Amino acid sequence: MDDRGRLTAPGSLLHGAVLAPEGEGPAQPPGGGDLAGLAAQYGLRPSSARPRLFAYFRQVWGRRHFIVAYATARNVSMYTEARLGQLWQVLTPLLNSAVYYLVFGILFQQNRGIYHYTAYLVTGVFIFSFTERSIVTGSTVMRANIALIRALHFPRACLPLAYVMVEFQQLLVSMLVLFPIVLITGEPLTWYWLLLVPVLLLQATFNMGAALIMARLGAGAQDFSQLIPFLTRIWRYFCGVMYSIASLPASLPEWAKNVLSLNPAAVYISLTRNAIMYSQRAYAPGAQPYNALKCAAFNAKKIPQLQAYCHPIATTNELWLTGVGWAVVTLVVGAVFFWQAETRYGRG
């Protein structure tokens, strides 16, 4: 304020003086010229301006350590008030698996035609939960962290990426339970298990892109965030989590089975099962030369070994190509889509 009790604008302060002399205009840079020209000379830009696309990506990459540290801190603090603590990271999907086993494995007998159904089911639940939670939390992340967004200046994409990292860390903990279950059911430990590394990296990449898309949509409309859990719940039943897509009735059109097999969640679930379950590779459709009689017997009696003599719905190579495509396309689209609204996050 000046000596007369009037508010002074930031631009009215002269260098070295606290109050601008009355009657003078805005301060000028030394040597004349304008402030915009001086800022351009030294490479200064308004802090609220949206950076260029690749410059924005470099900013996000420069904060990778913050993303990991923030995710780790949230992961540790998430269950601090619960008596069982971090065990809930594993108990929740295990309880879901138990419910699905009761409903689909026993009541609906969807375990027919599937070797080692317990391992098959738990793998599907764990892998799908990773994508489901990444999308659901991504849709609410901007509103949930509005105070942080308004208090600090940083690339807002760090937040949805950090939340995907939280879910990825929880998935890694869940793997410590999944592996013994798979081995106990009778699946052998083979070199194919190493393929789990690229599969999980591809799925994490897809989840990051999907979380960025959901974060922008959820920031603009809170109703959208309320709708997402219902959509992911429906998605769960079309991914072969609790049943085998190849075991669906033969009357189902071939194109419908292809759509179910090649949707993102189903692709990563299938690749994970193929990596850690020998029975999925040995008895997959197309593993043996086509035999019409044996394939018909499989459709009638659901004997797992006979499924290998049917035509494949999607080959392993097709699954890998589709998995890479979903990951790359979703991440690029999500990054550009989120970046376009970077300067609007935190307003309102």
Side-chain angles (χ1 to χ4, degrees):
M1 299 180 65
D2 61 12
D3 55 355
R4 299 184 181 182
R6 295 179 302 181
L7 290 174
T8 58
S12 64
L13 297 179
L14 292 174
H15 45 280
V18 177
L19 300 176
E22 188 174 356
E24 292 191 10
Q28 298 296 325
D34 60 282
L35 291 174
L38 183 64
Q41 178 182 351
Y42 289 95
L44 302 178
R45 300 181 59 190
S47 60
S48 60
R50 183 181 65 191
R52 295 181 182 275
L53 181 60
F54 290 103
Y56 184 72
F57 292 161
R58 287 194 296 269
Q59 291 179 13
V60 174
W61 175 251
R63 287 165 175 81
R64 61 191 181 277
H65 303 296
F66 161 76
I67 294 174
V68 175
Y70 182 80
T72 304
R74 283 200 59 87
N75 202 11
V76 172
S77 64
M78 189 174 299
Y79 300 101
T80 53
E81 297 182 0
R83 290 182 180 273
L84 297 180
Q86 301 296 318
L87 286 177
W88 282 110
Q89 297 181 15
V90 178
L91 288 178
T92 299
L94 280 179
L95 291 174
N96 288 334
S97 300
V99 173
Y100 293 140
Y101 184 86
L102 174 63
V103 175
F104 292 92
I106 297 179
L107 296 182
F108 293 151
Q109 297 185 352
Q110 291 298 319
N111 56 346
R112 296 181 61 205
I114 302 176
Y115 243 66
H116 303 145
Y117 182 72
T118 300
Y120 184 94
L121 175 63
V122 174
T123 301
V125 171
F126 278 35
I127 295 301
F128 182 83
S129 295
F130 176 33
T131 294
E132 180 183 34
R133 291 197 302 261
S134 298
I135 291 176
V136 171
T137 57
S139 66
T140 61
V141 64
M142 307 308 292
R143 293 181 178 274
N145 293 274
I146 192 66
L148 179 63
I149 292 174
R150 290 174 175 173
L152 300 175
H153 177 69
F154 62 96
R156 310 312 189 200
C158 293
L159 289 175
L161 295 181
Y163 275 72
V164 173
M165 183 62 66
V166 170
E167 303 301 336
F168 185 70
Q169 292 177 352
Q170 293 189 5
L171 176 66
L172 295 181
V173 174
S174 300
M175 289 295 159
L176 299 179
V177 177
L178 175 62
F179 293 161
I181 292 176
V182 173
L183 293 174
I184 290 172
T185 57
E187 294 290 342
L189 179 63
T190 67
W191 290 107
Y192 280 90
W193 285 48
L194 295 177
L195 293 176
L196 189 62
V197 176
V199 172
L200 295 184
L201 291 178
L202 286 175
Q203 186 185 11
T205 302
F206 169 81
N207 290 354
M208 287 189 289
L212 289 171
I213 295 174
M214 295 299 110
R216 175 174 175 180
L217 295 176
Q222 188 172 2
D223 293 338
F224 182 80
S225 302
Q226 301 297 325
L227 182 63
I228 287 298
F230 297 99
L231 297 179
T232 56
R233 194 173 307 162
I234 295 173
W235 190 17
R236 179 191 298 266
Y237 296 108
F238 288 91
C239 297
V241 175
M242 296 79 65
Y243 60 89
S244 171
I245 297 175
S247 297
L248 291 174
S251 58
L252 189 68
E254 195 70 22
W255 64 265
K257 291 185 178 181
N258 289 330
V259 170
L260 294 177
S261 299
L262 297 179
N263 83 75
V267 167
Y268 300 122
I269 290 173
S270 297
L271 289 175
T272 302
R273 286 169 174 162
N274 289 342
I276 64 178
M277 297 183 65
Y278 168 79
S279 59
Q280 288 299 299
R281 301 190 303 271
Y283 306 137
Q288 298 293 336
Y290 176 73
N291 186 302
L293 293 178
K294 292 183 179 181
C295 184
F298 167 75
N299 291 325
K301 300 181 179 180
K302 301 300 181 184
I303 301 176
Q305 297 91 326
L306 299 181
Q307 182 179 228
Y309 296 93
C310 297
H311 287 304
I313 299 175
T315 65
T316 302
N317 290 337
E318 290 173 344
L319 290 174
W320 277 107
L321 290 175
T322 306
V324 172
W326 278 120
V328 173
V329 171
T330 305
L331 181 61
V332 171
V333 172
V336 174
F337 187 63
F338 187 91
W339 163 79
Q340 289 176 336
E342 168 71 17
T343 56
R344 298 206 297 267
Y345 301 127
R347 293 184 181 179

